[in-house]
């Protein structure tokens, strides 16, 4: 049972190998393809508008045909993978979850790293769980403060 008094949550920041990406970018805001114009600016492919902050506004697409070096070279690994997933096609394990323990986050990080990704485990500040009573107390305090400010205006 987790220690809810000092609970911290964990997520992963994953950097996949450069060769695992396709050579194209997409806009995070509108999902349109992004290309380089004649002046070297990154622009929306369809309307030519320039992207201001490339790091915040673009993402690269992972190549679904990419495989890590030596993928399923061991016959036993191949048989186990095919039995579990139905074919030999590689896919990246999900990395967009929230983990309740550092150990589970570390296990997923090691799996991703075994395929060539670089992974950082990001830890939250302690999570504060509000009981229904505490929520009610907070709401009463908010309403009393609002009422006091209304009375002072009158």
């Amino acid at each position: 049972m987790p220690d809810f008094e000092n609970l911290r949550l964990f997520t992963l920041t994953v950097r996949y190998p450069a060769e695992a990406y396709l050579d194209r970018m997409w806009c995070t805001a509108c999902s349109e393809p992004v290309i380089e114009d004649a002046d070297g600016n990154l622009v929306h492919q369809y309307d030519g508008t320039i992207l201001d902050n490339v790091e915040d506004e673009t993402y690269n697409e992972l190549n679904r045909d990419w495989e890590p070096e030596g993928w399923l070279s061991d016959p036993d690994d191949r048989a186990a993978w095919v039995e579990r997933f139905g074919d030999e096609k590689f896919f990246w394990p999900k990395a967009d979850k929230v983990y309740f323990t550092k150990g589970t986050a570390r296990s997923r990080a090691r799996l991703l790293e075994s395929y060539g990704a670089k992974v950082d485990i990001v830890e939250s500040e302690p999570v504060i769980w509000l009981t229904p009573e505490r929520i009610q107390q907070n709401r009463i305090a908010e309403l009393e403060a609002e009422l006091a400010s209304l009375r002072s205006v009158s």
Side-chain angles (χ1 to χ4, degrees):
M1 181 90 161
D3 175 10
F4 286 109
E5 291 298 314
N6 296 301
L7 182 68
R8 293 177 184 264
L9 301 176
F10 303 88
T11 60
L12 304 178
T13 301
V14 182
R15 292 173 311 286
Y16 299 98
E19 62 273 11
Y21 288 99
L22 292 173
D23 191 22
R24 59 180 172 215
M25 281 195 261
W26 302 87
C27 176
T28 55
C30 65
S31 298
E32 283 187 21
V34 172
I35 59 172
E36 192 171 322
D37 70 7
D39 298 325
N41 299 310
L42 289 178
V43 299
H44 288 98
Q45 180 175 337
Y46 301 124
D47 66 10
T49 56
I50 295 176
L51 280 78
D52 296 324
N53 187 348
V54 176
E55 295 227 350
D56 291 339
E57 296 184 27
T58 63
Y59 67 93
N60 292 81
E61 182 179 0
L62 287 168
N63 181 349
R64 293 177 188 216
D65 294 326
W66 181 85
E67 296 177 346
E69 188 174 322
W71 176 243
L72 298 181
S73 56
D74 180 285
D76 292 335
D77 289 346
R78 180 180 292 111
W81 183 274
V82 170
E83 182 178 323
R84 183 168 181 192
F85 298 111
D87 63 29
E88 296 180 5
K89 189 161 179 58
F90 172 78
F91 61 87
W92 285 100
K94 286 196 163 282
D96 59 352
K97 298 180 180 187
V98 175
Y99 301 92
F100 288 96
T101 67
K102 194 168 195 171
T104 55
R106 191 177 303 120
S107 293
R108 182 52 55 112
R110 286 185 186 138
L111 178 62
L112 290 157
E113 289 168 342
S114 75
Y115 297 135
K118 303 278 189 232
V119 182
D120 293 318
I121 297 174
V122 181
E123 183 175 339
S124 75
E125 291 293 324
V127 176
I128 299 172
W129 299 97
L130 297 178
T131 63
E133 295 81 18
R134 185 67 181 151
I135 292 169
Q136 185 178 22
Q137 290 170 356
N138 289 351
R139 183 67 181 138
I140 289 170
E142 289 170 6
L143 291 171
E144 287 175 344
E146 187 177 337
L147 182 59
S149 73
L150 289 173
R151 286 184 176 148
S152 69
V153 172
S154 312

